[in-house]
Amino acid sequence: MITAFVRTAILYFLIMIGLRLVGKRQIGELEPGELVLTMMISDLASVPMQDFGIPLLVGIIPILALLSFSMLLSHFSLRSLRFQEILCGTPVVLIRDGVLQQQAMERNRYTLDELLEELRSNGIFSIDGVKYAVLENSGHLSVLAKSQPPTAKQLGVSVEPETLPTVLINDGRVLSRNLRACGRDTAWLQKVLRERHVSSPEQVFLLTLDERGKVLCVKKAEP
């Protein structure tokens, strides 16, 4: 029992000190390399903690090697922007002036559902209201809303409240349940597409309808 406690304590403090030397970072902000490092270290540490027949150095030496390798890469990243770009990648613009950058989304395998969820978490419910949406290296989406004109309250006038758009077409797929929930049918959808010179839903990347009847249609980018 004492042996298990001592081995576990040594590995615990070794990992804590090593990760502290690597740098301060929240789990959600880890770069891909840092995430891989964390996972590998946890696997290496679990083996000597569970099997007392394995010498403790069998776990310690690979952990120290990984931490040293990580710090070496971090040092090169600070000295070379090109190396940092290769190792960590670069931020990618997914929305520019209210326009979806479909090729950038496809390259980063970032779906519409993920994008809309991140926008809602930033208090934005319409793509039209986004100046820039940037996918950071950590996977976090940074959103800059467009400059807003004076509000109705400031001008002393009353306007209809903002409404939540409902997605009817997601990357060429018609969401029939959402269509029925909005009180619309396939005939209405075909009419909307014809008005926008679209022959089929497969040509639409995103189509939404809000409670005031406003339609947002984004066609798929040409391959």
Side-chain angles (χ1 to χ4, degrees):
M1 183 65 69
I2 296 178
T3 302
F5 176 79
V6 172
R7 290 166 69 97
T8 302
I10 291 174
L11 289 170
Y12 174 78
F13 286 109
L14 173 64
I15 295 172
M16 288 295 294
I17 294 172
L19 293 179
R20 178 65 182 85
L21 292 174
V22 171
K24 295 181 180 180
R25 196 74 71 107
Q26 296 181 8
I27 293 298
E29 298 177 350
L30 293 178
E31 302 286 356
E34 295 168 336
L35 180 60
V36 171
L37 173 69
T38 305
M39 296 173 64
M40 292 182 67
I41 286 178
S42 64
D43 286 340
L44 288 170
S46 64
V47 174
M49 281 193 295
Q50 295 174 357
D51 190 347
F52 298 158
I54 298 177
L56 192 58
L57 286 178
V58 173
I60 291 178
I61 292 176
I63 290 174
L64 291 177
L66 284 175
L67 292 173
S68 301
F69 187 59
S70 177
M71 287 187 287
L72 185 63
L73 291 179
S74 298
H75 176 76
F76 287 146
S77 296
L78 292 174
R79 294 292 182 268
S80 172
L81 293 177
R82 179 59 179 169
F83 184 81
Q84 182 179 16
E85 179 180 337
I86 295 174
L87 183 66
C88 303
T90 56
V92 179
V93 177
L94 301 184
I95 300 178
R96 189 188 303 272
D97 287 326
V99 179
L100 288 169
Q101 307 300 304
Q102 298 177 38
Q103 293 182 348
M105 292 180 62
E106 184 177 353
R107 284 197 304 270
N108 289 273
R109 293 176 293 282
Y110 206 82
T111 66
L112 267 174
D113 292 331
E114 292 172 329
L115 178 61
L116 295 175
E117 179 181 350
E118 288 294 330
L119 292 180
R120 289 193 296 269
S121 67
N122 282 274
I124 299 176
F125 294 89
S126 174
I127 295 174
D128 292 337
V130 179
K131 181 68 175 178
Y132 293 108
V134 181
L135 181 62
E136 307 291 354
N137 293 336
S138 63
H140 174 72
L141 189 71
S142 300
V143 182
L144 175 65
K146 291 182 178 178
S147 300
Q148 298 295 325
T151 64
K153 183 177 181 180
Q154 293 171 334
L155 296 176
V157 298
S158 59
V159 296
E160 296 183 12
E162 292 291 332
T163 59
L164 178 65
T166 300
V167 178
L168 301 183
I169 299 180
N170 182 332
D171 198 6
R173 299 182 296 270
V174 177
L175 306 182
S176 301
R177 180 181 299 178
N178 291 356
L179 192 64
R180 291 193 298 270
C182 293
R184 302 300 198 274
D185 55 17
T186 305
W188 174 88
L189 182 60
Q190 292 295 337
K191 178 182 177 183
V192 169
L193 296 178
R194 286 196 301 270
E195 291 174 352
R196 287 158 178 78
H197 307 289
V198 178
S199 59
S200 68
E202 287 76 14
Q203 298 176 349
V204 177
F205 189 63
L206 174 66
L207 190 142
T208 64
L209 174 70
D210 65 16
E211 296 174 7
R212 294 200 299 265
K214 179 182 177 183
V215 175
L216 170 67
C217 181
V218 179
K219 299 179 183 179
K220 285 188 176 181
E222 293 295 333

